[in-house]
Amino acid sequence: MPHAQLSIMNENRDSSDIDSILKPFQRFGVHLGLERIQKLLANLGNPHHQVPVIHVAGTNGKGSVCAYLSSILTEAGYRTGRYTSPHLVDWTERISLNEQPISKEQLCQLLLQVQAAIAPQEEIPTQFEVITAAAWLYFAQEKVDVAVVEVGLGGRLDATNVCDRPLVTIITSISREHWQQLGSTVAEIAGEKAGILKPGCPAVVGALPPDAQKVVRSRILELKCPYIFPQAARKIATGWAEYQEVDEKSGFEENSENFSNRDSDNLKTIKYPLSLQGQIQLTNSALAIAALEILRKQGWQIPEVDIVNGMTKTKWLGRMQWTTWNQHKLLLDGAHNPAAAQVLRDYVDDVTSSSAPNTPQSTSWVMGMLSTKDHTGIFNALLRPNDQLYLVPVPDHSSADPDELAKLAQKICPLSFCSTYPELSSALEAAFSVQDNLVILCGSLYLVGSFLGDRK
């Protein structure tokens, strides 16, 4: 797209409004590749070369891992940047420093700097590339000690994948999502995720399907990366977990001497609270602590007390988050792919299996999904006979048709109730009209974000 057209599109924008600055780039959609972002960052003075990075990829869990790492490193006294996506309510959520989101004014100024650096006659970057460049620029200007950076989509060709020597690379999980861009099989998707691994740089890898693990392990060996496949932490009490240092017997393997000379008979354990909900956090928190172990071997000062305090303070909005709506208790979660939906279902089963007083007697799902998602897989994971389903469109996005979703859901599972609603508030009102039920809003992070945004 010629520069002149971009200039015309921007003539009437308000330079203090983030949306108006970014909107012209939205039309370029998802366009994976590194050439545009590399040229853009070069025009900005290569700010990413000034930023020590922990790079995090994965189908699910990467946001939680980033949240744990950012909280703990901030608690340990390091100047810590964090870059994640998507945002739920506001663009400023994506970029933070010491757990505080960037101000709107700062982000606007950075975006204008990035826009000015787009060279004439060069291909116009995508919206994600522009906001990613702004994040790198911010972290360089703020002289962060470390930036925790979440991959946007895939890994190999993602705009965040411009760091040559990450402190640690993390791959949290791999399942079939975004197959339109990443490949139709788990092995192909794993190849894209493994594209963030760098020669000789330490890697931490979560539990993967066999086909995905084979691909990732092969890439690790090829690049001679020291690596850890940590075991999940162990639940020791309600809301508390215990992590054990890794060794050859508990999942530690290596390709260099970086992590040698461990005494497997004197392994340390760390007991810590889990502020995020769900069994999956035993895995996600272990991945974060394993990465911190590597940093500590590199000389970073991260005492156990800071790990405990950082875990306590970790927040991650919209993911198994309890809130209220009109004085009713409501559970929020994205659950936007089958693997994430299964994690949510497991948590719901745990909540509803209790014999304690006031345990919900039924489950009501208030859902909307994007048109591009695996609707069948998500419904199969979530729905159980006699559940209730309240379907809505996802506002301002390419939403699946609620009526079509209703037909599909009723084929998949014998529900006690299934209906569609034009917007979220009417669906919530209907869901809460049923007594003694657990109401869950899920199916899309954008739908959760719309709910949270309406409450501001």
Side-chain angles (χ1 to χ4, degrees):
M1 180 179 182
H3 253 242
Q5 287 180 259
L6 184 64
S7 299
I8 292 170
M9 292 163 63
N10 278 328
E11 272 181 4
N12 297 318
R13 63 155 171 74
D14 176 359
S15 64
S16 65
D17 180 71
I18 296 168
D19 284 313
S20 68
I21 298 172
L22 286 171
K23 189 173 182 180
F25 299 97
Q26 188 174 3
R27 65 173 56 193
F28 305 110
V30 175
H31 188 187
L32 296 176
L34 297 180
E35 186 176 354
R36 292 177 303 277
I37 186 69
Q38 288 171 337
K39 287 182 178 178
L40 182 56
L41 290 171
N43 294 342
L44 290 165
N46 289 314
H48 57 301
H49 291 166
Q50 305 169 41
V51 181
V53 173
I54 300 173
H55 203 191
V56 185
T59 304
N60 295 304
K62 57 186 182 291
S64 297
V65 171
C66 288
Y68 287 130
L69 288 169
S70 176
S71 181
I72 293 167
L73 289 164
T74 298
E75 190 71 17
Y78 290 103
R79 194 165 176 79
T80 306
R82 182 178 68 188
Y83 178 57
T84 57
S85 59
H87 61 273
L88 293 178
V89 180
D90 192 284
W91 284 101
T92 59
E93 296 169 32
R94 297 189 180 213
I95 304 172
S96 67
L97 177 63
N98 289 348
E99 296 294 278
Q100 298 302 310
I102 189 173
S103 71
K104 290 184 178 180
E105 295 74 19
Q106 283 178 301
L107 183 51
C108 281
Q109 290 305 310
L110 288 164
L111 291 171
L112 292 174
Q113 283 183 259
V114 172
Q115 182 177 290
I118 301 172
Q121 308 311 315
E122 286 186 356
E123 186 180 359
I124 302 300
T126 66
Q127 188 179 75
F128 183 71
E129 289 165 350
V130 170
I131 189 74
T132 300
W136 288 119
L137 190 58
Y138 179 63
F139 296 148
Q141 290 176 355
E142 293 293 333
K143 295 180 172 58
V144 299
D145 297 311
V146 58
V148 181
V149 175
E150 177 188 5
V151 166
L153 179 62
R156 181 176 65 91
L157 297 176
D158 185 74
T160 64
N161 195 29
V162 291
C163 43
D164 295 330
R165 298 291 301 172
L167 299 167
V168 187
T169 300
I170 304 172
I171 299 176
T172 61
S173 65
I174 295 175
S175 60
R176 189 172 178 269
E177 191 189 27
H178 297 299
W179 61 90
Q180 301 94 333
Q181 292 89 15
L182 303 182
S184 59
T185 68
V186 167
E188 288 175 326
I189 294 170
E192 294 299 312
K193 306 281 187 190
I196 71 168
L197 298 167
K198 301 299 188 302
C201 295
V204 175
V205 182
L208 307 179
D211 287 352
Q213 186 181 82
K214 182 179 179 180
V215 171
V216 172
R217 188 181 289 271
S218 174
R219 186 64 175 159
I220 283 173
L221 294 174
E222 179 186 345
L223 296 175
K224 296 181 171 55
C225 300
Y227 64 101
I228 300 175
F229 282 73
Q231 298 292 321
R234 183 173 67 92
K235 181 179 178 180
I236 55 176
T238 301
W240 280 83
E242 181 181 70
Y243 171 86
Q244 186 176 65
E245 277 189 340
V246 291
D247 70 346
E248 289 85 354
K249 296 178 181 179
S250 63
F252 172 76
E253 301 180 53
E254 61 182 51
N255 282 325
S256 77
E257 298 178 356
N258 291 21
F259 308 110
S260 58
N261 302 319
R262 288 175 177 263
D263 184 350
S264 60
D265 295 326
N266 293 288
L267 295 175
K268 294 180 180 178
T269 60
I270 299 174
K271 296 179 175 64
Y272 56 92
L274 280 174
S275 56
L276 305 184
Q277 302 296 317
Q279 184 80 6
I280 194 63
Q281 297 306 332
L282 294 172
T283 295
N284 292 340
S285 62
L287 291 170
I289 296 177
L292 295 172
E293 271 195 81
I294 292 173
L295 292 187
R296 295 208 287 186
K297 286 290 179 182
Q298 294 175 354
W300 291 65
Q301 300 301 306
I302 310 169
E304 183 175 325
V305 64
D306 291 330
I307 294 176
V308 173
N309 290 338
M311 285 288 183
T312 303
K313 296 177 181 179
T314 300
K315 296 179 181 178
W316 194 227
L317 294 180
R319 285 77 168 181
M320 291 196 202
Q321 176 189 348
W322 287 100
T323 186
T324 58
W325 182 83
N326 289 354
Q327 300 183 324
H328 297 290
K329 196 172 182 181
L330 175 66
L331 179 62
L332 307 176
D333 191 65
H336 59 287
N337 58 52
Q342 187 59 58
V343 168
L344 175 59
R345 182 72 236 190
D346 292 342
Y347 178 63
V348 169
D349 288 344
D350 188 49
V351 169
T352 57
S353 65
S354 171
S355 59
N358 302 319
T359 298
Q361 299 303 303
S362 64
T363 303
S364 296
W365 304 94
V366 179
M367 294 186 65
M369 287 189 265
L370 297 184
S371 60
T372 55
K373 296 299 180 177
D374 181 357
H375 309 139
T376 298
I378 292 170
F379 279 148
N380 275 321
L382 288 180
L383 301 180
R384 299 292 181 269
N386 300 317
D387 283 357
Q388 297 105 44
L389 181 60
Y390 305 78
L391 291 159
V392 299
V394 180
D396 304 319
H397 288 84
S398 176
S399 177
D401 182 348
D403 291 324
E404 294 301 316
L405 290 177
K407 293 175 186 176
L408 176 63
Q410 290 172 20
K411 288 180 182 178
I412 288 172
C413 187
L415 301 166
S416 67
F417 179 84
C418 180
S419 188
T420 64
Y421 298 82
E423 39 74 36
L424 188 53
S425 60
S426 58
L428 288 170
E429 186 174 347
F432 280 115
S433 68
V434 179
Q435 298 297 314
D436 300 323
N437 66 332
L438 170 61
V439 179
I440 303 130
L441 172 60
C442 68
S444 169
L445 284 170
Y446 295 114
L447 182 63
V448 171
S450 176
F451 171 83
L452 293 172
D454 288 343
R455 291 160 61 91
K456 278 198 167 185

